[in-house]
Amino acid sequence: MKIDGKFPNVRLRRVRNSPWIRKLISENNLSVNDLILPIFIRDGKNKVESIKSMPGVYRYTIDKLNIILKKAKKYKIPMIALFPYTPKNKKNKLGTEALNKNNLVCKSITLIKKKYPGIGVMCDVALDPYTSHGHDGIFINGKIDNDKTNEILVKQAILQAKMGCDVIAPSDMMDGRVGKIRKALDKNNLKDICILSYSAKYASSFYGPFRDAVGSNKSLKSDKKTYQMDYKNSNEAYREIALDIKEGADIVMIKPGLVYLDIIRNIKNKFRIPIFVYQVSGEYSIIANGIKNNLISKEAIYESLISFKRAGASAIVTYFALEIAKELSSSN
Ligand code: PBG
């Protein structure tokens, strides 16, 4: 890039000298329209339970969901993402609880769609909250079986869509699942249901606190490297995303966020498709603990979220959604 002019005629600090001009000059901005709020649900009644590994994040029983949904509505969060903490006695090798129309996710969708019809609902398609081994798929002969897992995932997706879920988000990283889910949705007269594919989902250490939040960390013995992507790769992300677009993905997700900004930018340049990014639990906990311990200031949250916008993300799944939405509504 050719740089015009030189010092002292050019002084870039002139456009930084006061808040008002910095506002006018800003190339990227964050609004509540960019935020997706993840919500953890648990069984039982009358409980709002803190999650040790994620300061400020809670698990809600269904009768208490109102507390967080009211805030989401007040601050005009466009969409929430539901994650269940399945009781141990409902987990098994095949994750069959995923297909129970009275499971935590399904019951929550019904409630939310009835009481908060204006809020979009997104649900993960993956078996890890339901399997006794904590994996996203099922084992056959000691290996995660891609095609047999897909058969279950398709059923899970159809069930969630029938219950009223607006955005089906396969986060399992099996091959070919987007095409199979799209086909099944269309066949079931669910043509308007969106698919948000976790296309480039890396096998990451940053998911640690989430696994605590959904209770899969103790059961998970091995890693997820046979299906989630190797963090050494970026070309592979192109292939994953190109395939998912072909199979019918409406939106693609890149996950985690902060350590994959290069992937977001490259994919945005290459494909004309909305990209969502997931600021995952580990990113959240590091920043939240840094703030709690006075190591960094609260503005770090905003800085991290703007970095996703700068990289090219359309929207961000973040556990900071409510906090930031509240702040955005009080500034300006
Ligand atoms: C699994 C799933 C994971 C997250 C969302 N869906 C974790 C995993 O792959 O083990 C992680 C989210 C986070 O860390 O915040 N289907």
Side-chain angles (χ1 to χ4, degrees):
M1 193 170 75
K2 187 173 162 279
I3 306 284
D4 291 316
K6 63 176 204 236
F7 179 84
N9 291 349
V10 176
R11 288 181 184 268
L12 290 173
R13 288 185 53 201
R14 279 186 204 117
V15 293
R16 293 181 198 143
N17 268 336
S18 54
W20 60 265
I21 198 157
R22 290 198 294 272
K23 280 184 194 165
L24 293 171
I25 291 296
S26 66
E27 295 174 37
N28 294 284
N29 287 292
L30 185 72
S31 96
V32 65
N33 299 338
D34 302 318
L35 303 173
I36 298 161
L37 169 70
I39 299 179
F40 294 109
I41 331 152
R42 55 154 294 158
D43 66 327
K45 276 203 169 70
N46 201 22
K47 284 204 177 90
V48 177
E49 174 181 57
S50 56
I51 298 166
K52 225 170 81 203
S53 58
M54 302 178 73
V57 180
Y58 302 86
R59 295 186 199 103
Y60 299 82
T61 51
I62 294 180
D63 58 329
K64 288 285 172 186
L65 275 176
N66 267 335
I67 298 175
I68 190 160
L69 292 166
K70 256 192 227 154
K71 291 184 192 157
K73 186 177 173 184
K74 178 173 170 201
Y75 295 116
K76 301 195 172 72
I77 302 268
M79 181 160 82
I80 54 143
L82 293 175
F83 295 101
Y85 178 83
T86 308
K88 219 171 159 198
N89 63 4
K90 293 203 169 148
K91 293 187 184 187
N92 59 28
K93 281 186 184 160
L94 299 177
T96 42
E97 178 66 5
L99 305 183
N100 173 5
K101 66 178 187 338
N102 288 314
N103 70 21
L104 289 170
V105 166
C106 290
K107 281 201 278 196
S108 304
I109 303 172
T110 314
L111 172 113
I112 297 165
K113 280 288 132 188
K114 201 164 115 202
K115 292 206 176 156
Y116 301 87
I119 300 181
V121 175
M122 151 186 165
C123 296
D124 253 34
V125 173
L127 299 179
D128 57 313
Y130 308 104
T131 50
S132 42
H133 43 72
H135 277 282
D136 294 33
I138 60 166
F139 281 96
I140 292 179
N141 299 330
K143 285 186 175 164
I144 297 286
D145 190 283
N146 192 87
D147 298 8
K148 285 275 181 291
T149 297
N150 278 348
E151 285 174 24
I152 305 177
L153 296 177
V154 166
K155 290 186 189 149
Q156 184 186 17
I158 297 299
L159 173 62
Q160 290 173 347
K162 281 189 174 157
M163 300 308 290
C165 171
D166 305 287
V167 175
I168 293 292
S171 75
D172 54 285
M173 289 299 279
M174 296 301 123
D175 287 321
R177 86 285 204 213
V178 170
K180 295 231 178 289
I181 291 172
R182 182 73 272 162
K183 206 167 142 197
L185 286 170
D186 291 357
K187 222 171 93 189
N188 281 274
N189 208 17
L190 296 160
K191 292 191 184 64
D192 288 336
I193 302 299
C194 269
I195 297 182
L196 159 57
S197 175
Y198 287 80
S199 300
K201 176 168 177 181
Y202 286 87
S204 171
S205 306
F206 288 88
Y207 305 145
F210 175 93
R211 290 178 188 168
D212 174 33
V214 299
S216 68
N217 57 337
K218 280 183 223 107
S219 35
L220 189 66
K221 301 240 153 40
S222 51
D223 57 45
K224 298 189 177 184
K225 290 184 179 175
T226 71
Y227 44 105
Q228 298 181 346
M229 275 183 57
D230 185 340
Y231 51 74
K232 298 184 199 81
N233 301 345
S234 56
N235 285 332
E236 197 182 339
Y238 284 106
R239 300 184 76 197
E240 282 286 1
I241 283 167
L243 280 172
D244 283 0
I245 295 173
K246 252 196 199 156
E247 289 177 30
D250 303 287
I251 308 164
V252 295
M253 179 90 85
I254 292 170
K255 178 181 176 188
L258 273 186
V259 283
Y260 296 91
L261 292 174
D262 58 323
I263 307 294
I264 303 172
R265 172 43 61 199
N266 289 337
I267 296 296
K268 189 68 193 179
N269 289 348
K270 177 104 178 159
F271 300 97
R272 291 168 206 276
I273 186 158
I275 298 174
F276 288 5
V277 56
Y278 202 135
Q279 181 176 52
V280 300
S281 56
E283 302 174 58
Y284 170 85
S285 296
I286 289 169
I287 297 173
N289 277 308
I291 295 168
K292 218 168 114 182
N293 291 303
N294 283 323
L295 299 169
I296 50 177
S297 75
K298 234 178 138 193
E299 198 176 341
I301 302 172
Y302 193 67
E303 184 178 345
S304 68
L305 298 175
I306 283 284
S307 80
F308 302 132
K309 298 290 295 176
R310 213 174 52 233
S314 306
I316 305 151
V317 182
T318 173
Y319 304 97
F320 288 118
L322 274 181
E323 192 172 340
I324 283 293
K326 187 174 171 186
E327 207 159 299
L328 289 169
S329 75
S330 63
S331 61
N332 287 315

Coordinates of all heavy atoms in Angstrom, one line a residue, residues 54 83 124-129 136 171-172 198 201 206-211 216 220 224 228 255 278-282 319, ligand 1:
M54 N -16.3 -20.4 35.4 CA -16.7 -19.3 34.6 C -17.4 -18.2 35.5 O -18.6 -18.1 35.6 CB -17.7 -19.7 33.5 CG -17.1 -20.7 32.6 SD -18.3 -21.3 31.3 CE -18.3 -19.8 30.2
F83 N -27.6 -24.5 26.0 CA -26.7 -25.6 26.3 C -27.2 -26.3 27.6 O -27.3 -25.7 28.6 CB -25.2 -25.1 26.5 CG -24.7 -24.5 25.2 CD1 -24.6 -23.2 25.1 CD2 -24.2 -25.4 24.2 CE1 -24.0 -22.6 23.9 CE2 -23.7 -24.9 23.1 CZ -23.6 -23.5 22.9
D124 N -27.2 -26.2 19.7 CA -26.1 -27.0 19.2 C -26.7 -28.4 18.8 O -27.6 -29.0 19.4 CB -25.2 -27.3 20.3 CG -23.9 -26.5 20.2 OD1 -23.9 -25.4 19.6 OD2 -22.8 -27.1 20.6
V125 N -26.2 -28.9 17.6 CA -26.4 -30.3 17.3 C -25.1 -31.0 17.5 O -24.1 -30.7 16.9 CB -26.8 -30.4 15.8 CG1 -26.9 -31.9 15.4 CG2 -28.2 -29.7 15.6
A126 N -25.1 -31.8 18.5 CA -23.9 -32.6 18.9 C -24.3 -33.5 20.1 O -25.3 -33.1 20.8 CB -22.7 -31.7 19.3
L127 N -23.6 -34.5 20.4 CA -24.0 -35.5 21.4 C -23.3 -35.3 22.7 O -23.7 -35.9 23.7 CB -23.9 -36.9 20.9 CG -24.8 -37.2 19.7 CD1 -24.6 -38.7 19.3 CD2 -26.3 -36.9 19.9
D128 N -22.3 -34.5 22.8 CA -21.5 -34.4 24.0 C -22.2 -34.1 25.3 O -21.8 -34.6 26.4 CB -20.2 -33.5 23.8 CG -20.6 -32.1 23.4 OD1 -21.4 -31.9 22.5 OD2 -20.0 -31.2 24.0
P129 N -23.3 -33.3 25.3 CA -23.9 -33.1 26.6 C -24.7 -34.3 27.1 O -25.1 -34.4 28.2 CB -24.9 -31.9 26.3 CG -24.5 -31.4 25.0 CD -23.9 -32.5 24.3
D136 N -18.7 -36.0 21.0 CA -19.8 -35.5 20.2 C -20.5 -36.5 19.4 O -21.6 -36.3 18.8 CB -19.3 -34.4 19.3 CG -18.8 -33.2 20.1 OD1 -18.3 -33.4 21.2 OD2 -18.9 -32.0 19.6
S171 N -22.4 -28.7 15.8 CA -21.1 -28.3 16.4 C -20.2 -29.5 16.6 O -19.2 -29.5 17.3 CB -21.2 -27.6 17.7 OG -21.6 -28.5 18.7
D172 N -20.6 -30.6 15.9 CA -20.0 -31.9 16.1 C -18.8 -32.2 15.3 O -18.0 -33.1 15.6 CB -21.0 -33.0 15.8 CG -21.6 -32.7 14.4 OD1 -22.3 -31.8 14.3 OD2 -21.2 -33.4 13.5
Y198 N -20.9 -25.0 12.6 CA -19.6 -24.8 13.2 C -18.6 -25.5 12.2 O -18.3 -26.6 12.3 CB -19.5 -25.5 14.5 CG -20.2 -24.9 15.7 CD1 -21.6 -25.1 15.9 CD2 -19.5 -24.2 16.7 CE1 -22.3 -24.6 17.0 CE2 -20.2 -23.7 17.8 CZ -21.6 -23.9 18.0 OH -22.2 -23.4 19.1
K201 N -14.1 -25.6 13.4 CA -14.1 -25.8 14.9 C -12.8 -26.5 15.3 O -12.6 -27.7 14.9 CB -15.3 -26.5 15.4 CG -15.3 -26.7 16.9 CD -16.6 -27.2 17.4 CE -16.5 -27.5 18.9 NZ -17.8 -28.0 19.4
F206 N -9.1 -24.2 24.8 CA -9.9 -23.1 25.4 C -11.4 -23.5 25.7 O -12.2 -22.7 26.1 CB -9.9 -21.9 24.4 CG -8.6 -21.2 24.4 CD1 -7.5 -21.6 23.6 CD2 -8.3 -20.2 25.3 CE1 -6.3 -21.0 23.6 CE2 -7.1 -19.5 25.3 CZ -6.1 -19.9 24.4
Y207 N -11.7 -24.8 25.4 CA -13.1 -25.2 25.7 C -13.2 -25.8 27.2 O -14.3 -26.2 27.6 CB -13.6 -26.4 24.8 CG -13.5 -26.1 23.3 CD1 -13.2 -27.1 22.4 CD2 -13.8 -24.8 22.8 CE1 -13.1 -26.8 21.0 CE2 -13.7 -24.5 21.5 CZ -13.4 -25.5 20.6 OH -13.3 -25.3 19.2
G208 N -12.1 -25.8 27.9 CA -12.1 -26.4 29.2 C -13.2 -26.0 30.1 O -14.0 -26.9 30.6
P209 N -13.4 -24.7 30.4 CA -14.5 -24.3 31.3 C -15.9 -24.7 30.8 O -16.7 -25.0 31.7 CB -14.3 -22.8 31.4 CG -12.9 -22.5 30.9 CD -12.6 -23.6 29.9
F210 N -16.1 -24.7 29.5 CA -17.4 -25.1 29.0 C -17.7 -26.6 29.4 O -18.8 -26.9 29.7 CB -17.5 -25.0 27.5 CG -18.7 -25.5 26.8 CD1 -19.8 -24.6 26.5 CD2 -18.8 -26.8 26.4 CE1 -20.9 -25.0 25.9 CE2 -20.0 -27.3 25.7 CZ -21.0 -26.4 25.5
R211 N -16.7 -27.4 29.2 CA -16.9 -28.8 29.6 C -17.3 -29.0 31.0 O -18.0 -29.9 31.4 CB -15.7 -29.6 29.1 CG -15.6 -29.7 27.6 CD -14.4 -30.4 27.1 NE -14.2 -30.2 25.6 CZ -13.2 -30.6 24.9 NH1 -12.1 -31.1 25.5 NH2 -13.2 -30.3 23.6
S216 N -19.3 -32.3 31.0 CA -18.7 -33.4 30.2 C -17.2 -33.6 30.5 O -16.6 -34.5 30.0 CB -18.9 -33.2 28.7 OG -18.2 -32.1 28.3
L220 N -15.0 -37.1 29.9 CA -14.2 -37.1 28.6 C -12.7 -37.6 28.9 O -12.0 -36.9 29.6 CB -14.1 -35.7 28.0 CG -13.5 -35.6 26.6 CD1 -14.4 -36.3 25.6 CD2 -13.4 -34.1 26.2
K224 N -10.6 -34.6 21.3 CA -11.5 -34.7 20.2 C -10.8 -34.5 18.8 O -11.4 -34.0 17.8 CB -12.6 -33.6 20.4 CG -13.4 -33.8 21.7 CD -14.6 -32.9 21.7 CE -15.5 -33.1 22.9 NZ -16.7 -32.3 23.0
Q228 N -12.4 -32.7 15.5 CA -12.2 -31.2 15.5 C -10.9 -30.9 14.8 O -10.0 -31.8 14.8 CB -12.3 -30.7 16.9 CG -13.6 -30.9 17.6 CD -13.7 -30.4 19.0 OE1 -12.7 -30.0 19.6 NE2 -14.9 -30.3 19.5
K255 N -14.4 -21.0 15.5 CA -14.4 -21.3 16.9 C -13.1 -22.0 17.3 O -12.8 -23.0 16.6 CB -15.6 -22.1 17.2 CG -15.7 -22.5 18.7 CD -16.9 -23.4 18.8 CE -17.0 -23.9 20.3 NZ -18.1 -24.8 20.4
Y278 N -17.2 -17.6 17.8 CA -17.5 -18.0 19.2 C -16.4 -17.6 20.1 O -15.3 -18.2 20.0 CB -17.8 -19.5 19.2 CG -18.6 -20.0 20.4 CD1 -19.6 -20.9 20.2 CD2 -18.4 -19.6 21.7 CE1 -20.4 -21.4 21.3 CE2 -19.1 -20.0 22.8 CZ -20.1 -20.9 22.6 OH -20.9 -21.4 23.6
Q279 N -16.6 -16.6 20.9 CA -15.6 -16.3 22.0 C -15.8 -17.4 23.1 O -16.8 -17.2 23.9 CB -15.8 -14.9 22.5 CG -14.8 -14.6 23.6 CD -14.9 -13.1 24.1 OE1 -15.9 -12.7 24.4 NE2 -13.8 -12.4 24.0
V280 N -15.0 -18.4 23.1 CA -15.4 -19.6 23.9 C -15.1 -19.4 25.4 O -14.5 -18.4 25.8 CB -14.7 -20.9 23.4 CG1 -15.1 -21.1 21.9 CG2 -13.1 -20.7 23.5
S281 N -15.5 -20.4 26.1 CA -15.4 -20.3 27.6 C -14.0 -20.0 28.1 O -13.9 -19.2 29.1 CB -15.9 -21.7 28.2 OG -15.1 -22.7 27.6
G282 N -13.0 -20.6 27.5 CA -11.6 -20.3 28.0 C -11.2 -18.9 27.8 O -10.6 -18.3 28.7
Y319 N -20.1 -15.0 26.3 CA -20.6 -15.0 27.6 C -20.7 -13.6 28.2 O -21.2 -13.4 29.3 CB -19.8 -16.0 28.5 CG -19.8 -17.4 27.9 CD1 -18.7 -17.8 27.1 CD2 -20.9 -18.3 28.1 CE1 -18.7 -19.1 26.6 CE2 -20.9 -19.5 27.5 CZ -19.8 -19.9 26.7 OH -19.8 -21.2 26.2
Ligands
PBG1 C1 -19.5 -29.3 21.8 C2 -19.3 -27.8 22.1 C3 -18.2 -27.3 22.8 C4 -18.5 -25.9 22.9 C5 -19.7 -25.7 22.3 N1 -20.3 -26.9 21.8 C6 -17.1 -27.9 23.4 C7 -16.4 -29.0 22.9 O1 -16.2 -29.2 21.7 O2 -15.9 -29.8 23.7 C8 -17.5 -25.0 23.5 C9 -18.0 -23.7 23.9 C10 -17.1 -23.0 24.8 O3 -16.0 -23.4 25.2 O4 -17.5 -21.9 25.3 N2 -20.3 -29.7 20.9

